Amino acid sequence: MTGTALIPAPLTARHPGGSLPLDGRTALDAGPGTGFTARWLRSVLGAATGLPLPDGTGPGTIRLRLSPAVEEEYGSEGYRLSVGGDGVRLDGGGPAGLFWGAQTLRQLLGPDAYRRAPVRPGADRDLPYVTVADRPRFGWRGLLLDVSRHFTAKEDVLRLLDLMAAHKLNVLHLHLTDDQGWRIEIERYPRLTEVGAWRARSKRGHRASPLWDETPHGGFYRQDDIREIVAYAAERHITVVPEIDLPGHSQAAIAAYPWLGNTDTVDTAALTVWDTWGVNPNVLAPTEEVLRFYEGVLEEVLELFPSTFVHIGGDECPKDQWKASPAAQARIAELGVGDEDGLQAWFVRHFDRWLAARGRRLIGWDEILEGGLAEGAAVSSWRGYGGGIAAAEAGHDVVMCPEQHVYLDHRQSGHPDEPVPIGFVRTLEDVYRFEPVPPGLSGAAARHVLGTQANVWTEVMENRDRVDYQLFPRLAAFAEVAWSALPAPADRDTACFLRRMETHYRRLDALGVAYRPPTGPAPWQRRPGLLGRPLDGPPPIV
């Protein structure tokens, strides 16, 4: 396996020695149901090698097939790949498995296979002889991208989807709304983007920093942009899960429509889109009108996103305004929910029932466990393992994304050269030793762990290069944790992984990824003190 430096590591790989040359006569034989993977291979390998890869058969042919036998043994995301003297045979358990196998095939061709044009015209293009059998450990191999704190342009989202596919990740969780910006067009509520998508300035660095960027910031995705992102992702067997955060993290929405807030305790008409980071006190009012408003939002969201799961946030909802609000207190008494925690649980249960009636499933951050969780709801466990363990033991599905391990906005080193030294130190090796299934969780409860997700919150990531720097190379380690059948953390061969990364860095170079170099920050990133002192806590806010 180290001879081909595959990342993530496959279930099994044998290297008998020898190689298969590819040249202008190499053909592509695509069986029924393999059309997209065939087009994708022609697109990326044709561009990188200059080879036409025409339809046909013969010596050296690349054959693509869907195989019921592979599906039975390895599942729909599994595949078998063999390269030998008679050519290449790639069998997928399903279309997704075939596509993941094509990603492995691309890796075998070397880093130049990741370029958009041939850089060594006429050079030998050889595939090493190999036999690979592979399948993922988890069905949910996710990445959260926060596009609210700093907007990510559509083209950069599409690029990120390609990077995810290259690492066999299959869920993009888009954090579309928060206090600092509303990023999705809702046609019936135009002020959500006319007002809520723009803020006058932004805190620069961690919220403890005294610095400000006085440049207005904003942006949003039109509905056709969302359709394009979702379709592009689906072609790559990636599901896009939308997040519409409620009842907290809602100041951008309240700034657009002040009646959504607690008007009897706050002058909501004076609120603007929030320009700093942290936990915001302005939360939604517990009224029927607010429920109808968010049902209207979600009706349009469901039309755009076919994903089974819809994320409703549910985290970090301060209760001070509800405690001070006569209307909220009357609502608590009317509903018989006991207190403010019960009021938040009422919000969650309402939208759980609403989504379930439309064939969807609610997922939220682990705070939604407080006050009881409706049957069918799932949990994103971010405050450590505890919420995930409690949810799984209660029979709820869980995605493990504990901030202590897989928040990739956290600093990668304790060195003062880190560009924005926030949160816990989590090195590449630390991420590689992350275990999604907590010790002691076994049997039926463990089967409720759908998978795992790395989260990147963009308070201190103002552009694509900063996101690249935080994600990579750690996302490669996370991808292996999510895909590969690794041993327990103490027994993982970190040295082997780091050796394979030596080749993988060259792939990332070819893709133009501005990753953190293995020796530390690049010279242009060494700006100690610019964005505030190193902070051990509190960590970045969801």
Side-chain angles (χ1 to χ4, degrees):
M1 182 172 59
T2 55
T4 50
L6 297 177
I7 289 178
L11 187 65
T12 65
R14 293 190 300 106
H15 306 279
S19 61
L20 173 72
L22 302 184
D23 56 33
R25 297 168 297 175
T26 302
L28 190 59
D29 176 14
T34 68
F36 174 77
T37 295
R39 291 192 298 274
W40 181 85
L41 278 172
R42 280 200 180 93
S43 174
V44 297
L45 297 188
T49 65
L51 300 178
L53 300 176
D55 289 329
T57 59
T61 295
I62 300 171
R63 294 173 173 83
L64 307 179
R65 297 291 187 271
L66 298 182
S67 168
V70 170
E71 182 178 22
E72 183 176 355
E73 186 169 2
Y74 297 106
S76 62
E77 288 196 280
Y79 65 91
R80 277 200 302 248
L81 171 65
S82 63
V83 181
D86 58 347
V88 178
R89 176 71 183 237
L90 174 57
D91 293 290
L98 191 81
F99 183 68
W100 304 135
Q103 297 291 343
T104 298
L105 180 65
R106 188 186 192 188
Q107 288 198 16
L108 291 171
L109 270 171
D112 284 353
Y114 290 81
R115 297 194 178 273
R116 297 185 183 182
V119 295
R120 294 172 180 81
D124 292 337
R125 302 176 183 89
D126 293 345
L127 281 170
Y129 288 173
V130 67
T131 302
V132 175
D134 202 8
R135 66 182 172 213
R137 180 184 178 192
F138 293 109
W140 186 302
R141 306 180 302 279
L143 172 65
L144 176 142
L145 177 64
D146 168 16
V147 297
S148 178
R149 275 53 176 266
H150 279 99
F151 180 63
T152 299
K154 180 195 70 176
E155 290 301 320
D156 290 335
V157 176
L158 300 179
R159 171 182 177 267
L160 182 61
L161 288 165
D162 280 329
L163 291 172
M164 291 176 63
H167 293 82
K168 300 185 174 74
L169 298 173
N170 69 344
V171 176
L172 175 62
H173 173 169
L174 273 184
H175 184 76
L176 290 162
T177 72
D178 214 297
D179 302 302
Q180 296 86 0
W182 186 284
R183 305 296 179 210
I184 178 172
E185 178 186 35
I186 302 297
E187 292 179 347
R188 72 188 71 184
Y189 303 130
R191 286 178 59 83
L192 286 173
T193 47
E194 290 171 359
V195 174
W198 310 94
R199 61 177 183 263
R201 64 174 187 170
S202 303
K203 173 68 74 171
R204 192 174 181 190
H206 192 277
R207 61 178 175 268
S209 166
L211 304 179
W212 293 90
D213 181 346
E214 299 293 342
T215 306
H217 179 83
F220 65 93
Y221 306 110
R222 297 191 181 279
Q223 293 201 356
D224 278 349
D225 295 331
I226 293 292
R227 292 185 179 97
E228 181 181 358
I229 289 168
V230 169
Y232 193 86
E235 288 179 333
R236 287 148 184 81
H237 302 280
I238 296 171
T239 299
V240 184
V241 173
E243 181 180 352
I244 305 296
D245 215 335
L246 60 91
H249 289 286
S250 297
Q251 183 161 319
I254 296 169
Y257 293 95
W259 58 267
L260 294 172
N262 294 280
T263 56
D264 58 346
T265 62
V266 179
D267 180 10
T268 55
L271 293 178
T272 60
V273 177
W274 212 27
D275 57 11
T276 189
W277 325 124
V279 179
N280 188 301
N282 293 295
V283 301
L284 298 176
T287 67
E288 291 296 322
E289 292 76 14
V290 168
L291 295 184
R292 300 293 88 75
F293 181 93
Y294 274 86
E295 289 171 0
V297 168
L298 289 170
E299 283 176 1
E300 296 192 26
V301 167
L302 296 191
E303 191 274 327
L304 296 169
F305 294 90
S307 59
T308 298
F309 285 101
V310 175
H311 209 291
I312 56 87
D315 61 308
E316 296 177 331
C317 178
K319 310 299 193 298
D320 294 342
Q321 288 185 1
W322 290 346
K323 290 177 181 177
S325 164
Q329 291 301 309
R331 190 68 159 154
I332 289 171
E334 174 192 348
L335 296 169
V337 294
D339 58 16
E340 292 77 21
D341 288 339
L343 198 56
Q344 181 171 353
W346 167 78
F347 261 106
V348 174
R349 285 195 295 271
H350 174 84
F351 287 104
D352 179 79
R353 291 190 298 268
W354 190 90
L355 288 167
R358 289 155 181 80
R360 306 297 184 96
R361 291 183 64 188
L362 179 146
I363 185 169
W365 303 110
D366 53 64
E367 286 96 328
I368 69 172
L369 288 163
E370 298 164 7
L373 192 56
E375 183 180 355
V379 169
S380 300
S381 186
W382 75 276
R383 295 181 299 176
Y385 286 119
I389 292 172
E393 289 180 342
H396 295 281
D397 289 337
V398 178
V399 175
M400 287 293 186
C401 48
E403 63 167 335
Q404 300 88 339
H405 300 279
V406 290
Y407 269 37
L408 301 187
D409 43 313
H410 287 203
R411 51 188 162 148
Q412 302 177 67
S413 166
H415 195 282
D417 282 351
E418 277 294 281
V420 186
I422 64 172
F424 306 110
V425 173
R426 285 298 170 261
T427 66
L428 177 65
E429 295 87 344
D430 290 334
V431 174
Y432 191 68
R433 289 189 288 266
F434 165 58
E435 172 49 48
V437 179
L441 194 66
S442 60
R447 288 192 287 274
H448 282 290
V449 178
L450 299 176
T452 184
Q453 179 171 289
N455 294 343
V456 59
W457 304 98
T458 59
E459 290 98 329
V460 298
M461 283 166 255
E462 68 279 3
N463 56 44
R464 188 181 84 179
D465 282 354
R466 285 289 296 115
V467 174
D468 276 7
Y469 181 89
Q470 293 301 130
L471 282 178
F472 292 98
R474 293 182 295 180
L475 193 66
F478 173 80
E480 185 148 308
V481 168
W483 177 278
S484 304
L486 298 177
D491 299 323
R492 289 181 189 168
D493 192 344
T494 306
C496 173
F497 171 74
L498 294 177
R499 285 194 300 272
R500 286 181 282 125
M501 280 300 301
E502 292 173 10
T503 297
H504 200 65
Y505 285 118
R506 294 171 57 207
R507 297 180 188 125
L508 297 177
D509 286 333
L511 287 165
V513 176
Y515 58 85
R516 183 185 191 274
T519 55
W524 65 269
Q525 292 163 319
R526 290 176 179 159
R527 302 176 294 175
L530 180 62
L531 298 179
R533 60 183 177 82
L535 295 170
D536 287 315
I541 299 302
V542 177

